[in-house]
Amino acid sequence: MFNQQYRRPGSMEMSRKYWGSSLGTSTDFDYDEPSVQSLCDLERTRSLEGAVPRPMLDETQQSWLLEPKVEKKEPTVDLGCVSVTRRFFRWMNCIFWGIVVIIALALIIWKFGPKHGHSPPKPDNYTIALSKALSFFDIQKSGALPVNDRQRRFKWRRSSALLDGQAAQPGSPAVKLAGGFYDGGNTIKFGFPGAYAMTMLSWSVIEYKAKFEASGEFDHARELIKWGTDYILKTFNNTEVDKIICQVGIGGGPRPNDLYCWERPEDLDFFKDTRRSAISVNSGSDLAAEMAAALSAASIVFRDDPKYSQGLVNAAKALYAFAKLKPGSFVQNLPGPERAIYNATSFNDELIWGSTWLYFATGNTTYLGDATIRSIENSNRKRGYTFGVFDWDNKLVGAQLLLTRLRILQGPGYPYEQTLKQYNNETNLVMCAYLPQFRTWNRTKGGMILFNPNATQHLPTAVNAAFLATLYADYLKAADVPVLECGPNWYSPEVLRNFSRSQVDYALGKNPLKTSYVVGYSEKYPLQPRHRAASIPDDGKSYSCEQGWQWRDRNFPNPHVLQGALVGGPDILDRFTDLRKNYIQNEPTIANNAGLVGALVALSTMPTGTQEHIDPHSIFSAIPVYVPSPPPPVVPWEP
């Protein structure tokens, strides 16, 4: 359409285009026309058409309109590596200080505001029962009781028997023996089962320290152990043992005695009875070796207190030397009336038990040699030992289990390997026999294992077996042994835990009577456990020896709950009579409760922060790492 030569349009030509488009007319102009419509004509035309009149612009103003628009540059801030606009810099400053203020407020709220964090996991039944089982030891304390929150839970128990050992009787030493634990429902302190109870508590803490910490009972357990070991240290001369006080209180002989009388421990000093004298023996391998085991095990618990720990070790060494000096049972040295209370049998099991714990406490291979040299005498297949039974009188199964732990997790090798392998095999045999499919022992219809149908109590030995079985399962796990070998049959170690659960669950109420045999646990438990302190009301009166019979003989629940006490339990037909006079089934002891504590903590499932069930190495902390001797140098052969 355009056949003329292109030329740059002038300002007026641009205006023509602009106004032409505004008027809705054609924007195609013939640039060869002689006359050009002026702006005034256009304005006039717009005025005639009703458009809003516009002011006239001169050429300078028109040039301003036609100049390209230049954007104004914003001021910048040089940050060194980069330049940013001032507006961007201000926004970043605001954002930064806003974040700082938010973080500061959050920290202040977290520090000083109410805590609404995640609640701790609910403890399982075994952990709940564990706390109660430990409380029974608080109730059993003798001597000057500490004033603390835990002791105030049992306001009916106060300081007692502060004059123990100072009563003058022919042949009895006068010595300060306040402290320790009463054995059971009576007011006698027995050294032999009392030392065993401390060994068991220490063993549990050594193996399951993380679980005790997770349950909040670690410091409590340590305090109880120290209460017991402090008393043990009072019962002999630490530097040169020539005799050991094995008992405080009289169980037999002329009346009144501690079994004949029914008094609160708090009333013992009030009536100044001479029956609180001490009985000592000048020999006794079983007693001394058990005490050595207790102090050695406790020394491992208190490794963080080097002075106290070393004092325990030194005393344990002296006791063990006394045990070896005159082989025999301490029962032979007891007065005639007192022998009927004990049924202590062989002393070889205590010697291997004591020497094993001393080896763990010192690392001295002399003690390991003593534990392994008598392998023929210390066989659970030999007559005189009750196969598979572990209690305050039978330590062989426990000692062999400890040495099996040494073999599979430490492996001392020659010259101990042959005997350790024997102990390992016998331990494995006992563990397989625990399983119900092998029918080694009878069981009640409710499922309680019966090691000896003629025994007076069955539940405590069943609970002890549960502790050992769980320990062995945990040892296998720590050693990466995947199966339990029972002849041609292989089982997962979990079958041992199942056995343990069946026995402990029975004690906690899963039995035909639906009764918990741990006092204070569950809704149904014994209301009349045979216990002097728990059966007499705290009415501000003192009841003498025979005055207390009125509380012994009445058929009414105890006024005080004997928290956590494991009673003797049912008979072979799952029958149980909850009467105070039923001393066989309804009396607790600290020895029985020590095994219960071990079984409960072993089965508890509180989160510990570690996948290990046991602490596999701390028990070996005193044992030097075995380094094989270098081979002899090769001497060149010369023809």
Side-chain angles (χ1 to χ4, degrees):
M1 173 173 148
F2 299 98
N3 52 11
Q4 71 273 15
Q5 185 180 358
Y6 172 77
R7 62 178 177 175
R8 182 179 179 182
S11 61
M12 291 302 294
E13 292 171 329
M14 292 293 294
S15 298
R16 290 174 62 188
K17 280 189 173 186
Y18 172 79
W19 292 113
S21 63
S22 301
L23 294 171
T25 58
S26 173
T27 56
D28 292 335
F29 298 99
D30 188 358
Y31 291 99
D32 290 335
E33 288 187 31
S35 62
V36 179
Q37 188 179 18
S38 67
L39 288 174
C40 293
D41 296 334
L42 289 173
E43 288 296 325
R44 191 178 299 113
T45 305
R46 289 175 58 87
S47 177
L48 292 174
E49 295 178 0
V52 179
R54 288 180 174 271
M56 296 296 294
L57 301 176
D58 59 22
E59 291 187 5
T60 303
Q61 290 172 328
Q62 294 177 35
S63 66
W64 290 346
L65 291 174
L66 297 174
E67 284 182 359
K69 187 176 180 180
V70 180
E71 294 185 3
K72 188 176 181 180
K73 280 183 90 175
E74 288 191 38
T76 61
V77 177
D78 187 3
L79 298 178
C81 59
V82 67
S83 295
V84 297
T85 64
R86 193 171 293 174
R87 182 185 300 175
F88 180 80
F89 180 73
R90 283 198 299 267
W91 273 106
M92 291 302 296
N93 255 337
C94 292
I95 293 172
F96 172 77
W97 288 111
I99 293 173
V100 170
V101 170
I102 291 172
I103 293 175
L105 287 174
L107 289 174
I108 292 172
I109 293 172
W110 175 80
K111 181 70 175 177
F112 300 104
K115 301 293 186 294
H116 299 290
H118 296 291
S119 58
K122 186 178 179 180
D124 60 276
N125 291 338
Y126 302 126
T127 305
I128 295 172
L130 170 67
S131 178
K132 296 180 181 295
L134 288 169
S135 294
F136 177 65
F137 286 90
D138 290 307
I139 295 174
Q140 294 301 101
K141 284 180 179 176
S142 178
L145 301 185
V147 181
N148 55 36
D149 292 338
R150 184 179 299 112
Q151 206 62 51
R152 281 198 292 270
R153 290 172 52 197
F154 308 105
K155 295 181 180 179
W156 47 279
R157 279 302 335 276
R158 291 181 290 276
S159 297
S160 62
L162 301 180
L163 300 178
D164 271 3
Q166 300 179 56
Q169 279 194 353
S172 298
V175 61
K176 294 181 179 181
L177 291 172
F181 296 96
Y182 298 112
D183 176 69
N186 51 60
T187 53
I188 302 178
K189 295 186 292 192
F190 291 116
F192 189 46
Y196 160 80
M198 294 305 101
T199 309
M200 290 295 291
L201 285 183
S202 296
W203 193 5
S204 301
V205 171
I206 293 168
E207 300 286 15
Y208 297 105
K209 178 182 177 182
K211 287 188 176 184
F212 273 104
E213 291 175 334
S215 67
E217 295 291 344
F218 177 67
D219 291 336
H220 184 193
R222 277 170 51 107
E223 184 265 330
L224 294 174
I225 294 169
K226 191 173 187 300
W227 188 271
T229 53
D230 283 349
Y231 171 75
I232 292 175
L233 292 173
K234 296 179 180 181
T235 60
F236 63 97
N237 185 341
N238 292 357
T239 55
E240 186 178 354
V241 182
D242 56 351
K243 58 186 175 182
I244 299 174
I245 296 171
C246 64
Q247 182 176 321
V248 175
I250 307 300
R255 296 175 178 178
N257 58 55
D258 285 77
L259 296 185
Y260 173 80
C261 294
W262 197 269
E263 289 172 299
R264 280 191 304 243
E266 289 78 4
D267 292 336
L268 293 173
D269 289 345
F270 180 80
F271 292 103
K272 296 182 173 59
D273 291 323
T274 57
R275 57 192 167 86
R276 298 298 301 169
S277 60
I279 298 175
S280 62
V281 293
N282 55 16
S283 67
S285 300
D286 41 9
L287 172 64
E290 181 58 70
M291 292 168 66
L295 299 183
S296 299
S299 74
I300 301 174
V301 173
F302 292 100
R303 281 260 165 82
D304 57 342
D305 185 351
K307 183 177 180 181
Y308 187 68
S309 178
Q310 189 58 49
L312 294 175
V313 169
N314 293 340
K317 290 178 179 178
L319 284 167
Y320 184 73
F322 178 82
K324 292 179 64 178
L325 186 63
K326 296 179 181 179
S329 176
F330 79 102
V331 178
Q332 300 168 358
N333 299 295
L334 287 175
E338 304 303 321
R339 295 181 191 175
I341 300 175
Y342 284 97
N343 60 347
T345 53
S346 172
F347 57 85
N348 278 328
D349 53 335
E350 276 80 27
L351 286 173
I352 183 177
W353 178 247
S355 57
T356 299
W357 278 112
L358 263 169
Y359 174 63
F360 287 148
T362 65
N364 188 336
T365 54
T366 300
Y367 299 115
L368 180 59
D370 286 353
T372 56
I373 197 172
R374 290 184 293 271
S375 60
I376 297 178
E377 291 88 350
N378 291 304
S379 171
N380 57 33
R381 300 178 185 181
K382 184 183 176 183
R383 290 183 179 181
Y385 290 105
T386 306
F387 178 72
V389 172
F390 180 64
D391 59 17
W392 64 271
D393 183 43
N394 298 277
K395 319 293 169 44
L396 182 59
V397 178
Q400 290 183 332
L401 179 60
L402 273 173
L403 291 171
T404 296
R405 185 197 211 284
L406 176 68
R407 178 177 184 257
I408 65 178
L409 290 175
Q410 196 79 356
Y414 179 84
Y416 315 105
E417 173 60 23
Q418 183 175 356
T419 300
L420 292 179
K421 186 176 181 180
Q422 172 194 325
Y423 291 160
N424 193 165
N425 292 338
E426 294 189 6
T427 297
N428 209 76
L429 183 64
V430 170
M431 296 300 155
C432 293
Y434 285 160
L435 305 183
Q437 50 264 48
F438 291 102
R439 304 180 183 273
T440 306
W441 292 286
N442 293 325
R443 284 168 167 76
T444 67
K445 288 185 177 180
M448 179 176 63
I449 193 169
L450 301 172
F451 290 102
N452 181 4
N454 298 321
T456 56
Q457 295 183 346
H458 307 285
L459 190 58
T461 51
V463 169
N464 287 348
F467 174 54
L468 297 187
T470 311
L471 265 182
Y472 191 53
D474 290 341
Y475 291 169
L476 294 178
K477 181 179 183 298
D480 292 326
V481 179
V483 295
L484 170 67
E485 295 186 34
C486 299
N489 303 307
W490 290 4
Y491 299 94
S492 165
E494 189 64 23
V495 298
L496 291 174
R497 292 193 180 90
N498 292 338
F499 161 75
S500 300
R501 292 187 192 99
S502 70
Q503 301 306 303
V504 175
D505 288 348
Y506 185 101
L508 296 181
K510 195 174 182 180
N511 52 64
L513 297 180
K514 308 299 182 192
T515 296
S516 167
Y517 296 110
V518 178
V519 179
Y521 180 84
S522 188
E523 295 181 357
K524 184 181 179 183
Y525 51 82
L527 300 177
Q528 297 187 40
R530 185 180 177 85
H531 193 272
R532 287 160 175 77
S535 67
I536 301 176
D538 188 15
D539 55 6
K541 300 178 182 178
S542 295
Y543 297 93
S544 64
C545 174
E546 295 179 357
Q547 287 176 337
W549 289 358
Q550 60 179 305
W551 309 111
R552 179 194 67 185
D553 297 335
R554 69 172 189 161
N555 185 10
F556 200 76
N558 290 343
H560 310 298
V561 178
L562 197 60
Q563 194 76 262
L566 175 69
V567 298
D571 62 15
I572 60 175
L573 298 177
D574 295 312
R575 297 173 303 189
F576 178 79
T577 304
D578 183 17
L579 288 175
R580 200 171 294 108
K581 64 181 181 180
N582 184 8
Y583 65 92
I584 292 178
Q585 291 188 317
N586 218 13
E587 182 167 6
T589 68
I590 58 173
N592 292 348
N593 256 66
L596 174 65
V597 167
L600 290 171
V601 71
L603 290 173
S604 66
T605 57
M606 287 293 289
T608 61
T610 174
Q611 294 184 351
E612 297 286 354
H613 288 263
I614 61 167
D615 185 343
H617 303 299
S618 64
I619 197 172
F620 301 134
S621 56
I623 300 175
V625 178
Y626 172 72
V627 178
S629 303
V634 178
V635 179
W637 178 79
E638 295 182 3

